Amino acid sequence: MSAKIPYKTYLSETEIPRQWYNMNAVMKIKHEPFLNPATLQPCTADELKAVFCEDCVDQELNRKDLYIDIPEEIRNFYKMYRPSPLVRAYCLEKALGTPAKIYYKFEGNNTSGSHKLNSAVAQAYYAKKQGLKSVTTETGAGQWGTALSMACAYFGLDLTVYMVKVSSEQKPQRREVMRTYGAQVIASPSDTTEAGRKILKEFPGTGGSLGCAISEAVEKAVTSDSCRYVLGSVLDHVVLHQSVIGLESKIALEKYGEQPDIIIGCCGGGSNFGGLIAPFMGDKLQGKNNIDFIGVEPASCPSMTRGKYAYDFCDSAQITPLAKMYTLGCGFMPAPNHAGGLRYHGMSPIVSALYDQGYMRAVSVEQTKVFEAAEMFARIEGILPAPESSHAIRVAVDEALKCKETGEAKTILFGLTGTGYFDMSAYKQFNDRTMSDSIPTDADLAQGFATIPDIPLNK
Amino acid sequence: MSAKIPYKTYLSETEIPRQWYNMNAVMKIKHEPFLNPATLQPCTADELKAVFCEDCVDQELNRKDLYIDIPEEIRNFYKMYRPSPLVRAYCLEKALGTPAKIYYKFEGNNTSGSHKLNSAVAQAYYAKKQGLKSVTTETGAGQWGTALSMACAYFGLDLTVYMVKVSSEQKPQRREVMRTYGAQVIASPSDTTEAGRKILKEFPGTGGSLGCAISEAVEKAVTSDSCRYVLGSVLDHVVLHQSVIGLESKIALEKYGEQPDIIIGCCGGGSNFGGLIAPFMGDKLQGKNNIDFIGVEPASCPSMTRGKYAYDFCDSAQITPLAKMYTLGCGFMPAPNHAGGLRYHGMSPIVSALYDQGYMRAVSVEQTKVFEAAEMFARIEGILPAPESSHAIRVAVDEALKCKETGEAKTILFGLTGTGYFDMSAYKQFNDRTMSDSIPTDADLAQGFATIPDIPLNK
């Protein structure tokens, strides 16, 4: 059969999913709700709608509909870059000499360079539908900001992006792409917000963090009526939009009668991983498969493997609702020599719950090992991967090599979330052999944990 | 019918062409041969084989076989990134309000970011087949060098790339991609060759040129037995390899019963344009169609629209064979404020002959107009185009707007050769409104023309 499977499988445009897949509907134990930090009561829809777009809030709180319709306008945008290819990694399999069958779903063939566009389009559409004039967001590595710039240009929305300062300096090209799409890009922390000014005063030399950029973007959004904040990961509605990745993968694999034994994705905020696994995990939750799901995070920002499962703020200025999630503490900042993205202190509540309930594993990997895998993959498979995506490559390669030892012909699916074209300063470090790992000590972690709020629910 | 045409058409992998299309076989008046500058006699195959790979030379001189087999090893590599999509630009058509149907063949969805990979793979394969250990080349904007790095990594060849100094400074990211694929990258002019040292001495502050980088790469190749030089454009065998673009486009269009009225491509050395038009032009040469072929060049390097049709050197140090082509003179260098690629002083001999014989038109466009089209295209079609490709976009938009005036529903096909992800310093100039045009004066041109060799054939 395998000889008939092409290198790349593109579904037809009519096969682009018409509905997203909502894992919440099939979770027996639902994850804890967001809390209002002042009252410690679950956030109401109205409270959330002051920050986020209406339809996104409704999706966020929807725990009963397994399938949620994708509006035609969003599907039309999807057609500009989707379906994304499901690739059979024949060359990698051969180079590794593994009996495993390796597939990857490649989300990098669009100008944002990653999967982020899947949710950016949806959120921009809903903002426009609601009659908003503008949205704000934060961006770390720049993929999310780029994706949202593209979506806002398409739907005619103004956009302000708070870009983590260190990334903005490492990646001026990303900033320029966003500007080309008409976005205003501000390095964070900035003096344009209360939150930014406060952090600048406390940590004058800081390179910023996602948590801090979120604080600034949220502040900007809640101080205007015609503006809302949009987030590129972590939240359930973002995971929902990303389920298009898993749905397309499942349709393509089923064409070949393939059922994955292992599914691997990198985990920053968790939206790519959550979206990739969604329909497969939905089946597992219903007892229909026993897939080994592996979320891969950087050793320098190990929220699942070394974090605490607790209520924490989503931002470092502590102005957002509290989320129950695996977290290193909202004040945690990864070491500056951590090169790639995946630097968020927490993990998507739904992914955290799946991990807590034992439906998936988490693995952390050091960045030099990640770049070794990235270089190998680039040379063998012909795609220069994003550092983020290379976390998944690393573990996929490790699992394939285990198969070589045991002789098992497992089917491995991993998410190749994006390309590394804007990450060449990190690659340069690797090429120059000046890259080091940056694993936080227990003392570093303790410092972060101390920023987790001291509330009764966390006792 | 048009409602049934998807945004993107991907052929299946089995539809990847099994043969390239050789326009030379159907040209009634063949273009003039390369000459040995010492004897002014046509170069023999043996002379050329001292510089180029054997199979490439045989293809270069083949003027009788219309179809030339693509070896299986090359087709296997093609499967990693081909077939490339043929896109119906519905969004652009709507934004322009034109009755024209606009299609583009998008060659940018691979890590080299352009069509260059189509020939890089072929030339690396033939070098390996011949038992060579290494190859050398030059690169301008960096697309060709990146493509060849990828191909050499795949086939296990060493590679030295001479990168035009100004590009190397504008695009350190490109250099890093090449290094990631294992290539040695040297800024040209360099002190590693006689040619480089000579140019450095004559023009100490020069930013280099493609012609100069070619001199260095050729010198390095001819001074070693196990090394040959490979070129990314201009030559017939490169145009031949690029015919895969036109062949795939033709198959896809025929599925919808579409026959283009206009085909537009950007022209630097001419390989993308030559490859895109190949099978369509072959039909025109046989009286089977009357397509309007338009080659688009930058106003700052207008080899067809303002150049001379003469025998000239392919490099600035005057060590290569003489080619009969449209040329600005081998000593011509475009103004430093010219941002993109397409900076070669000459034009592919076969494209030059087609132009001279009246089978195609040439148009030149200013770079600010090009970037206006690029920005519009990025926002509307969701792909950030390379500055080179944007020359074709500019003219496609202009032609579509003419259709709007006349009410004609012409079918326009253009080549979108690549993405602009590594061209953000040029985009920054445009975003900052600091970009200017750089149209050579007649005096500038006269200076270049003075470097065309004074030989009897040019009288």
Side-chain angles (χ1 to χ4, degrees):
Chain A
M1 176 142 220
S2 100
K4 286 184 194 159
I5 299 176
Y7 281 67
K8 293 180 274 59
T9 300
Y10 286 100
L11 302 179
S12 72
E13 279 169 20
T14 53
E15 290 172 298
I16 293 178
R18 294 176 188 278
Q19 297 177 308
W20 291 302
Y21 190 98
N22 180 15
M23 279 190 286
N24 275 307
V26 281
M27 285 190 75
K28 284 175 202 87
I29 309 167
K30 315 287 185 191
H31 71 78
E32 309 283 340
F34 286 103
L35 298 184
N36 181 322
T39 62
L40 297 190
Q41 293 303 305
C43 288
T44 64
D46 281 350
E47 282 170 346
L48 291 171
K49 286 176 182 176
V51 180
F52 300 105
C53 302
E54 289 168 4
D55 287 276
C56 293
V57 170
D58 293 339
Q59 291 173 352
E60 186 69 24
L61 301 177
N62 187 327
R63 295 181 166 212
K64 71 173 206 302
D65 298 317
L66 185 56
Y67 290 99
I68 292 176
D69 286 347
I70 305 177
E72 201 54 32
E73 291 84 349
I74 296 174
R75 283 190 85 242
N76 279 342
F77 192 108
Y78 279 173
K79 286 178 189 168
M80 292 208 289
Y81 70 101
R82 303 201 71 81
S84 70
L86 178 77
V87 186
R88 174 73 185 268
Y90 284 118
C91 297
L92 183 61
E93 290 171 16
K94 193 175 159 197
L96 297 175
T98 177
K101 290 186 276 186
I102 307 175
Y103 290 91
Y104 55 92
K105 180 70 169 168
F106 180 38
E107 292 289 319
N109 267 353
N110 67 72
T111 287
S112 82
S114 82
H115 66 291
K116 295 282 187 183
L117 200 48
N118 301 328
S119 184
V121 178
Q123 297 195 56
Y125 166 75
Y126 290 123
K128 188 72 183 179
K129 185 181 160 214
Q130 189 179 335
L132 299 175
K133 297 270 175 280
S134 65
V135 292
T136 66
T137 197
E138 83 298 331
T139 198
Q143 293 174 336
W144 169 245
T146 310
L148 194 62
S149 308
M150 293 171 68
C152 286
Y154 182 83
F155 287 113
L157 284 167
D158 286 338
L159 168 64
T160 307
V161 179
Y162 291 89
M163 186 171 187
V164 177
K165 195 176 171 194
V166 62
S167 294
S168 150
E169 284 162 3
Q170 279 172 1
K171 302 180 185 181
Q173 302 85 12
R174 278 276 191 209
R175 190 182 58 221
E176 226 46 60
V177 178
M178 292 184 256
R179 286 183 70 204
T180 300
Y181 281 92
Q184 188 191 6
V185 184
I186 298 173
S188 167
S190 76
D191 59 6
T192 66
T193 64
E194 280 299 325
R197 285 189 290 269
K198 188 170 163 231
I199 290 165
L200 277 176
K201 200 172 163 192
E202 227 172 305
F203 308 96
T206 180
S209 69
L210 266 186
C212 159
I214 292 175
S215 302
E216 294 206 86
V218 170
E219 181 181 326
K220 164 116 181 161
V222 297
T223 52
S224 159
D225 268 355
S226 61
C227 181
R228 289 294 183 281
Y229 167 69
V230 298
L231 183 61
S233 191
V234 180
L235 301 176
D236 283 6
H237 67 274
V238 185
V239 175
L240 175 76
H241 303 153
Q242 295 297 354
S243 68
V244 70
I245 306 172
L247 288 163
E248 282 185 11
S249 302
K250 198 157 185 276
I251 297 169
L253 284 171
E254 281 170 0
K255 289 194 180 199
Y256 307 120
E258 289 276 33
Q259 163 84 335
D261 299 297
I262 306 175
I263 300 183
I264 301 163
C266 62
C267 283
S271 73
N272 141 68
F273 180 74
L276 173 67
I277 67 171
F280 300 98
M281 179 61 88
D283 283 353
K284 184 170 182 173
L285 289 164
Q286 297 171 80
K288 296 181 191 165
N289 71 41
N290 194 25
I291 295 172
D292 182 15
F293 296 98
I294 310 176
V296 189
E297 55 187 19
S300 54
C301 195
S303 52
M304 285 185 285
T305 48
R306 296 177 70 195
K308 296 199 168 170
Y309 194 37
Y311 264 110
D312 195 6
F313 291 97
C314 300
D315 69 326
S316 55
Q318 311 198 339
I319 63 174
T320 64
L322 296 168
K324 178 78 178 282
M325 58 183 175
Y326 277 87
T327 178
L328 297 164
C330 59
F332 178 83
M333 289 202 194
N337 66 337
H338 171 64
L342 311 180
R343 46 174 68 238
Y344 187 60
H345 66 273
M347 180 53 58
S348 145
I350 192 165
V351 171
S352 293
L354 290 166
Y355 179 55
D356 184 59
Q357 294 171 27
Y359 288 104
M360 59 169 282
R361 292 194 284 145
V363 171
S364 78
V365 286
E366 295 94 32
Q367 69 175 353
T368 49
K369 295 274 188 299
V370 166
F371 275 83
E372 279 168 20
E375 183 191 84
M376 177 176 69
F377 186 83
R379 293 182 182 188
I380 293 169
E381 284 286 319
I383 296 171
L384 187 91
E388 295 83 353
S389 325
S390 305
H391 287 71
I393 298 174
R394 173 74 268 166
V395 173
V397 166
D398 292 345
E399 291 294 326
L401 290 175
K402 281 185 207 164
C403 288
K404 187 179 180 176
E405 274 180 35
T406 63
E408 289 171 288
K410 288 188 181 174
T411 299
I412 299 170
L413 167 66
F414 73 88
L416 187 70
T417 54
T419 51
Y421 308 150
F422 292 98
D423 299 286
M424 296 321 296
S425 60
Y427 272 96
K428 183 173 194 309
Q429 282 179 38
F430 180 73
N431 292 337
D432 291 343
R433 304 292 175 256
T434 58
M435 177 173 277
S436 60
D437 295 323
S438 49
I439 302 167
T441 63
D442 288 341
D444 295 333
L445 291 187
Q447 233 178 337
F449 292 149
T451 63
I452 296 174
D454 185 22
I455 56 174
L457 289 160
N458 281 342
K459 302 287 175 188
Chain B
M1 174 143 224
S2 99
K4 286 185 195 160
I5 300 176
Y7 280 67
K8 293 180 272 63
T9 300
Y10 285 100
L11 303 179
S12 72
E13 280 170 20
T14 53
E15 290 172 300
I16 293 177
R18 292 174 188 279
Q19 298 177 308
W20 291 302
Y21 189 98
N22 179 16
M23 280 190 287
N24 274 308
V26 281
M27 284 190 74
K28 285 175 201 86
I29 308 166
K30 316 285 185 191
H31 71 77
E32 308 283 342
F34 286 104
L35 299 184
N36 181 323
T39 64
L40 297 188
Q41 293 303 306
C43 288
T44 64
D46 282 349
E47 284 170 344
L48 291 171
K49 285 176 183 176
V51 181
F52 301 105
C53 302
E54 289 168 3
D55 287 276
C56 293
V57 170
D58 293 339
Q59 291 173 351
E60 187 69 24
L61 302 176
N62 187 327
R63 295 181 166 211
K64 72 174 204 303
D65 298 316
L66 184 56
Y67 290 99
I68 292 176
D69 286 346
I70 305 176
E72 202 54 31
E73 292 85 348
I74 296 173
R75 283 191 83 242
N76 280 341
F77 192 109
Y78 279 174
K79 285 177 190 170
M80 291 208 289
Y81 70 101
R82 305 202 68 83
S84 69
L86 178 77
V87 186
R88 175 73 184 268
Y90 284 117
C91 297
L92 183 61
E93 289 171 16
K94 193 176 158 196
L96 297 174
T98 177
K101 290 186 275 187
I102 307 175
Y103 290 90
Y104 55 92
K105 180 70 168 167
F106 179 38
E107 292 289 318
N109 268 352
N110 67 73
T111 287
S112 82
S114 82
H115 66 291
K116 295 282 187 184
L117 200 48
N118 300 328
S119 184
V121 178
Q123 296 194 56
Y125 166 75
Y126 289 124
K128 187 73 181 178
K129 185 182 160 212
Q130 190 178 335
L132 300 175
K133 297 272 175 279
S134 64
V135 293
T136 66
T137 198
E138 82 298 330
T139 198
Q143 294 174 336
W144 169 245
T146 309
L148 194 63
S149 307
M150 293 172 67
C152 286
Y154 182 84
F155 287 113
L157 285 165
D158 287 337
L159 169 64
T160 306
V161 179
Y162 291 90
M163 186 171 188
V164 177
K165 195 175 170 193
V166 62
S167 295
S168 150
E169 285 162 3
Q170 279 172 359
K171 302 181 186 182
Q173 302 85 14
R174 278 275 190 209
R175 190 183 58 221
E176 225 47 58
V177 178
M178 291 184 257
R179 286 182 71 206
T180 300
Y181 282 91
Q184 188 191 7
V185 184
I186 298 173
S188 167
S190 76
D191 59 7
T192 66
T193 64
E194 280 299 324
R197 286 189 289 270
K198 189 170 164 230
I199 290 166
L200 277 176
K201 199 172 161 191
E202 228 173 305
F203 309 97
T206 180
S209 70
L210 266 186
C212 160
I214 292 173
S215 301
E216 293 206 86
V218 170
E219 182 181 325
K220 164 116 180 160
V222 297
T223 52
S224 159
D225 269 355
S226 62
C227 181
R228 290 293 184 282
Y229 167 69
V230 298
L231 182 61
S233 191
V234 180
L235 301 176
D236 283 6
H237 68 272
V238 185
V239 175
L240 176 76
H241 302 153
Q242 295 297 353
S243 69
V244 70
I245 305 172
L247 288 163
E248 282 185 11
S249 302
K250 198 156 184 278
I251 296 169
L253 284 171
E254 281 170 0
K255 289 193 181 201
Y256 307 121
E258 289 277 32
Q259 163 84 335
D261 299 297
I262 306 175
I263 299 183
I264 302 163
C266 61
C267 283
S271 74
N272 140 68
F273 180 75
L276 173 67
I277 67 171
F280 300 98
M281 179 59 89
D283 283 352
K284 183 170 184 173
L285 289 164
Q286 296 170 82
K288 295 181 193 166
N289 71 40
N290 194 26
I291 296 172
D292 182 14
F293 296 98
I294 310 177
V296 189
E297 55 186 19
S300 54
C301 195
S303 52
M304 286 186 285
T305 48
R306 296 177 70 196
K308 296 198 169 171
Y309 194 38
Y311 264 110
D312 195 5
F313 291 96
C314 300
D315 68 327
S316 56
Q318 310 197 340
I319 64 175
T320 64
L322 297 167
K324 179 78 179 282
M325 58 184 176
Y326 277 87
T327 178
L328 297 164
C330 59
F332 178 83
M333 289 202 195
N337 66 337
H338 172 62
L342 311 180
R343 48 173 65 236
Y344 187 61
H345 66 274
M347 180 53 58
S348 145
I350 193 165
V351 172
S352 293
L354 290 166
Y355 179 55
D356 184 59
Q357 293 172 29
Y359 289 103
M360 59 169 281
R361 292 195 282 147
V363 171
S364 78
V365 284
E366 295 94 31
Q367 69 176 352
T368 50
K369 294 274 189 300
V370 166
F371 275 83
E372 279 167 21
E375 182 190 86
M376 176 176 70
F377 186 82
R379 294 183 181 187
I380 293 169
E381 285 286 318
I383 296 172
L384 187 91
E388 295 83 353
S389 325
S390 305
H391 287 71
I393 298 173
R394 173 76 268 166
V395 173
V397 166
D398 292 345
E399 291 295 326
L401 290 174
K402 280 185 206 164
C403 287
K404 187 179 180 177
E405 274 179 36
T406 62
E408 288 172 289
K410 287 187 181 175
T411 298
I412 299 170
L413 167 66
F414 73 88
L416 187 70
T417 54
T419 51
Y421 307 151
F422 292 98
D423 299 286
M424 296 321 297
S425 60
Y427 273 96
K428 183 172 194 309
Q429 281 179 40
F430 180 73
N431 293 336
D432 291 343
R433 304 291 176 257
T434 57
M435 176 173 276
S436 59
D437 295 322
S438 49
I439 302 166
T441 62
D442 287 342
D444 295 332
L445 291 187
Q447 236 178 334
F449 292 149
T451 63
I452 296 173
D454 186 23
I455 57 174
L457 289 160
N458 281 343
K459 304 286 178 188

